[in-house]
Amino acid sequence: MSDNIILPSRLYDNSIVDYETMLNLYQDMLLGRNFEDMCAQMYYRGKMFGFVHLYNGQEAVSTGVIKALDNTDYVCSTYRDHVHALSKGVPASLVMAELFGKETGCSHGRGGSMHIFSAPHNFLGGFAFIGEGIPVATGAAFQSVYRSQVLNESKAIRVTACFFGDGTSNNGQFFECLNMAVLWKLPIIFIVENNQWAIGMAHNRSSSSPEIHKKAASFGLPGIEVDGMDVLAVRKVACQAIHRARQGEGPTLIEALTYRFRGHSLADPDELRSRQEKEAWLARDPITSFKNYLLSNSITNQSIIAEINAKVKKEVDNAIEFALSSPEPEVKDLKRYLFAEDL
Amino acid sequence: MNQVFMFDALREATDEEMEKDSSVFILGEDVGHYGGSYKVTKDLHSKYGDLRVLDTPIAENSFMGMAIGSAITGLRPIVEGMNMSFLLLAFNQISNNAGMLRYTSGGNFKIPIVIRGPGGVGKQLGAEHSQRLEAYFQAIPGLKIVACSTPYNAKGLLKSAIRDDNPVIFFEHVLLYNLKENLPDYEYFLPLDKVELVRKGKDVTIVTYSRMRHHVIQAVDKLVKEGYDPEVLDLISLKPIDIMSIGNSLSKTHKLIIVEECMKTGGIAAEIIAQINDNWFDQLDAPIIRLSSQDIPTPYNGTLEKATVIHPEQIMKAVKSLVNI
């Protein structure tokens, strides 16, 4: 990584975000952060296992995009999916129970950290392989168009938000789906969370053309670059993309420049990233910045912030209690859910 | 009753199901304007339009995943592999998202997808267009696999596959599309998980599927004239194997020959033999004979290609080695 770290400028735009929403955005980011920190604790205490990929640092992207969606819209994620699920409304208790492998988990303990699914929340997964969720998201978007044009359903077009990382932007499925999404004007938003690293592979070392949003032009869709540490900036571009999609104007590619404060997964020693680089990004913590923004502009006060902090802490504590006290799946149910007939 | 080609039987099945249920749609390369490489979707585009008979770009893994995404959100896609061999490119999506997604999500979603197209060894099409993928797919949990072999079973099976709420891989064969058969005028469905009894007999059980069924019939026609009485079962269901029906037949004949077109190693026969060993071993009077294709890529040269697959002479020889009359 070069010594010149060029950071995008901040742009706050509070002209269309009301007070209630501001607080919800703050609370959602805080929930994501606290939840992930608790996951790390629980992992080291032997309550969750395997590959766990935490989202710390990227909260502005999840909150900024997903809180601009309706409940009936779809979100499709990757293995770094806990916080996307929380932003989409999947209860923290169900996600935590899933991570503990319990029967009460949203995937009944069959999926684990990389496979959070929730049909009631239109959360389409949770995928372990890089890129394999992008076609699935494209299919959900195709279904929206089909319902409107073939089944003549008159309800509003349901939009799909598809998240993936910088490493994935070199994968064939990414390009194949950009093509199809533009071809059929699908109501899908492709969000690249460019956190500069794919495990130990720096983005510049794997990508001949590192500015991912510019690749959109080759396919004929808008490619927007946004400061991924600024929740209002992310929300602004997300709203524009959602509007485009609902109007039938097709897909948008959003490249959110962000950073993960922890390693790729809890198994990653994270030795390749320089201390200087980490400190530069930690200084731009999206939650701290947003809190400072709210306070310094007198949008809210310390006691409201403290209330929200307490509320979120309680929610996470309740999730732990629920997960701890939930039963494990029974071995007699080993083959359950294999086929549609196995209910 | 009227004489119907195999490709028309498949088209009729598709058309009937699309008419009845508007959430059923087809996607694949050249299914629309071109009418399908083997004419299975001929004229369906003009009837149903762009979105229901969707011409895709050449991107098997992605349009397979797209079909799966549409299936988990409520539609019922039929994906045509122009040649089933091309679906090797879609293995990721077929294994992970068609086979495993329902289980991994703890039942959150179902995947009512049909993946169909021609496979098998054709006439000098070269190795890459002559593949048999059934052995590769058979181990994937969560899939159903069927192989049609006649216009009659093709129509009944495809209708059932489209109505099934699970992912079904539906193998057709490049050389069987021009088979003709009388089909009933009434609507009929065939079960996806049962063998078809082709010929009742008592000397030996011959289990087969797809194109090899016809080689078996050719052999059996000659054998019958010589006084043999084989029982012939068409597997139809490659996953799950209808081992009960095979076992019951074996209880009568005590001798088993399996004739398949996939490669010998790890093939469908290998699986059947293992399952017979599990629960029906005592019924065997002799080791099971499996007649499979050679473990080689299919050569272009016609004589070599012929030597790659099983022919009626070999089937007759196997029967005579097991049955004394």
Side-chain angles (χ1 to χ4, degrees):
Chain A
M1 191 83 187
S2 92
D3 284 334
N4 289 331
I5 299 165
I6 300 156
L7 303 176
S9 61
R10 304 173 135 171
L11 40 105
Y12 287 136
D13 181 347
N14 64 345
S15 54
I16 45 166
V17 185
D18 62 41
Y19 176 69
E20 200 62 50
T21 305
M22 293 277 203
L23 295 188
N24 286 337
L25 297 180
Y26 175 75
Q27 181 170 326
D28 191 57
M29 288 199 287
L30 193 66
L31 174 63
R33 178 69 59 86
N34 283 16
F35 186 93
E36 297 293 72
D37 281 341
M38 188 57 79
C39 282
Q41 271 195 57
M42 290 295 126
Y43 189 84
Y44 295 124
R45 282 193 210 175
K47 300 294 180 197
M48 63 179 77
F49 312 92
F51 292 126
V52 178
H53 309 83
L54 299 181
Y55 195 77
N56 298 45
Q58 300 180 208
E59 295 84 0
V61 186
S62 183
T63 298
V65 173
I66 300 176
K67 287 309 187 192
L69 296 170
D70 293 339
N71 288 338
T72 46
D73 293 325
Y74 301 98
V75 167
C76 199
S77 179
T78 67
Y79 48 72
R80 202 179 301 282
D81 55 354
H82 309 170
V83 177
H84 293 151
L86 295 174
S87 295
K88 192 63 175 68
V90 184
S93 53
L94 299 191
V95 182
M96 193 60 80
E98 183 58 34
L99 299 176
F100 280 34
K102 299 296 180 83
E103 178 65 40
T104 50
C106 49
S107 309
H108 296 293
R110 270 66 172 178
S113 170
M114 299 184 282
H115 302 291
I116 304 295
F117 288 87
S118 179
H121 300 93
N122 297 308
F123 192 78
L124 306 179
F127 296 94
F129 282 23
I130 289 286
E132 80 179 341
I134 302 177
V136 174
T138 306
F142 177 82
Q143 171 258 165
S144 289
V145 167
Y146 191 98
R147 280 196 191 281
S148 153
Q149 293 182 21
V150 174
L151 303 180
N152 296 314
E153 289 179 13
S154 57
K155 295 172 249 186
I157 292 274
R158 295 164 78 162
V159 172
T160 302
C162 178
F163 293 87
F164 48 95
D166 43 281
T168 305
S169 72
N170 291 320
N171 185 270
Q173 285 167 108
F174 171 58
F175 300 115
E176 289 172 0
C177 290
L178 287 182
N179 177 45
M180 292 194 289
V182 175
L183 206 51
W184 301 316
K185 284 199 146 92
L186 302 183
I188 182 169
I189 307 167
F190 298 101
I191 302 117
V192 191
E193 297 189 75
N194 184 352
N195 60 23
Q196 326 293 322
W197 291 85
I199 308 185
M201 187 61 150
H203 181 55
N204 292 341
R205 291 185 64 229
S206 73
S207 309
S208 50
S209 216
E211 294 183 275
I212 302 166
H213 63 282
K214 290 190 173 166
K215 299 184 185 191
S218 319
F219 293 91
L221 74 162
I224 318 284
E225 183 188 62
V226 70
D227 177 0
M229 308 309 264
D230 179 340
V231 68
L232 292 180
V234 173
R235 185 186 166 88
K236 179 181 176 179
V237 304
C239 286
Q240 287 167 351
I242 293 166
H243 180 77
R244 258 180 62 80
R246 276 203 229 289
Q247 297 301 113
E249 289 165 31
T252 307
L253 173 67
I254 297 174
E255 178 181 4
L257 299 176
T258 182
Y259 200 74
R260 49 168 167 80
F261 293 160
R262 290 178 176 270
H264 164 72
S265 73
L266 289 173
D268 174 18
D270 193 15
E271 288 160 347
L272 283 177
R273 305 188 301 171
S274 72
R275 191 169 60 92
Q276 184 200 9
E277 176 187 292
K278 288 180 198 173
E279 282 171 2
W281 285 94
L282 280 162
R284 304 183 60 231
D285 185 318
I287 300 173
T288 318
S289 333
F290 192 56
K291 184 182 73 171
N292 292 342
Y293 167 76
L294 292 173
L295 292 173
S296 61
N297 288 289
S298 302
I299 295 169
T300 193
N301 58 56
Q302 286 285 13
S303 84
I304 303 279
I305 294 289
E307 252 177 59
I308 296 174
N309 290 358
K311 202 165 151 191
V312 166
K313 181 177 189 304
K314 187 148 185 270
E315 197 176 339
V316 175
D317 287 344
N318 287 345
I320 295 292
E321 226 183 277
F322 177 78
L324 281 171
S325 61
S326 285
E328 300 252 331
E330 295 180 65
V331 178
K332 73 168 174 53
D333 288 333
L334 184 62
K335 295 193 179 175
R336 206 173 164 194
Y337 308 123
L338 201 50
F339 292 105
E341 304 83 82
D342 316 324
L343 290 161
Chain B
M1 283 259 174
N2 56 322
Q3 285 268 302
V4 182
F5 281 113
M6 165 82 86
F7 63 85
D8 274 332
L10 293 164
R11 188 184 46 74
E12 283 179 17
T14 307
D15 192 1
E16 284 170 24
E17 293 306 302
M18 285 180 74
E19 224 175 78
K20 290 214 161 73
D21 183 348
S22 44
S23 70
V24 178
F25 73 103
I26 309 166
L27 65 155
E29 294 156 9
D30 280 323
V31 296
H33 290 200
Y34 195 74
S37 308
Y38 292 92
K39 297 188 271 223
V40 172
T41 55
K42 190 166 187 296
D43 297 329
L44 293 182
H45 178 261
S46 51
K47 184 173 176 184
Y48 294 108
D50 283 337
L51 286 182
R52 294 195 72 191
V53 188
L54 185 74
D55 279 323
T56 61
I58 306 170
E60 275 80 2
N61 198 32
S62 288
F63 69 69
M64 186 66 68
M66 194 181 102
I68 292 163
S70 75
I72 68 175
T73 49
L75 302 184
R76 303 186 75 87
I78 303 169
V79 182
E80 175 172 302
M82 184 183 269
N83 187 293
M84 285 303 242
S85 312
F86 303 168
L87 298 187
L88 288 173
L89 289 133
F91 211 103
N92 178 178
Q93 293 290 344
I94 293 171
S95 165
N96 291 8
N97 291 341
M100 302 204 292
L101 192 149
R102 176 172 171 76
Y103 184 88
T104 306
S105 71
N108 261 285
F109 296 101
K110 65 176 192 203
I111 306 108
I113 187 175
V114 175
I115 301 165
R116 54 153 291 272
V121 176
K123 288 248 166 10
Q124 300 185 256
L125 301 182
E128 293 183 11
H129 282 82
S130 309
Q131 301 195 61
R132 291 124 286 153
L133 303 188
E134 52 271 22
Y136 306 173
F137 288 132
Q138 72 166 329
I140 299 174
L143 293 181
K144 295 186 178 181
I145 306 176
V146 297
C148 64
S149 51
T150 66
Y152 178 80
N153 65 36
K155 185 173 182 183
L157 288 170
L158 186 54
K159 284 174 73 83
S160 297
I162 294 169
R163 297 231 178 165
D164 199 301
D165 278 346
N166 297 292
V168 180
I169 306 206
F170 190 96
F171 284 104
E172 298 152 17
H173 197 287
V174 278
L175 295 180
L176 297 184
Y177 284 119
N178 290 327
L179 283 183
K180 241 180 170 180
E181 189 176 6
N182 273 324
L183 294 191
D185 295 321
Y186 54 81
E187 186 178 41
Y188 66 98
F189 295 84
L190 291 172
L192 295 177
D193 59 354
K194 294 278 176 288
V195 304
E196 183 185 319
L197 176 63
V198 181
R199 183 185 188 276
K200 212 171 161 100
K202 55 171 174 40
D203 287 348
V204 57
T205 302
I206 306 177
V207 167
T208 184
Y209 66 93
S210 189
R211 179 191 171 206
M212 288 297 118
R213 168 199 176 124
H214 302 281
H215 282 198
V216 168
I217 290 171
Q218 283 173 46
V220 167
D221 283 348
K222 292 201 174 117
L223 286 165
V224 165
K225 294 196 174 91
E226 296 180 31
Y228 293 88
D229 188 19
E231 180 149 289
V232 180
L233 304 179
D234 185 331
L235 268 176
I236 300 291
S237 178
L238 305 185
K239 184 180 176 79
I241 303 282
D242 179 8
I243 202 68
M244 265 320 244
S245 299
I246 300 171
N248 287 337
S249 175
L250 189 63
S251 303
K252 196 172 40 166
T253 65
H254 306 293
K255 300 173 195 67
L256 178 58
I257 299 172
I258 308 168
V259 185
E260 60 180 0
E261 197 175 316
C262 58
M263 284 77 77
K264 179 169 281 206
T265 302
I268 303 294
E271 175 59 25
I272 295 172
I273 293 170
Q275 290 193 30
I276 294 289
N277 179 67
D278 286 342
N279 290 312
W280 300 90
F281 181 78
D282 290 333
Q283 297 300 333
L284 290 170
D285 281 350
I288 302 168
I289 295 179
R290 63 175 164 159
L291 300 175
S292 324
S293 295
Q294 299 292 319
D295 283 305
I296 58 171
T298 310
Y300 163 72
N301 170 275
T303 308
L304 292 182
E305 180 184 71
K306 188 164 189 279
T308 309
V309 303
I310 297 297
H311 292 276
E313 311 84 62
Q314 291 155 286
I315 302 168
M316 291 179 71
K317 195 163 162 214
V319 170
K320 289 178 179 178
S321 76
L322 279 182
V323 182
N324 298 314
I325 53 159

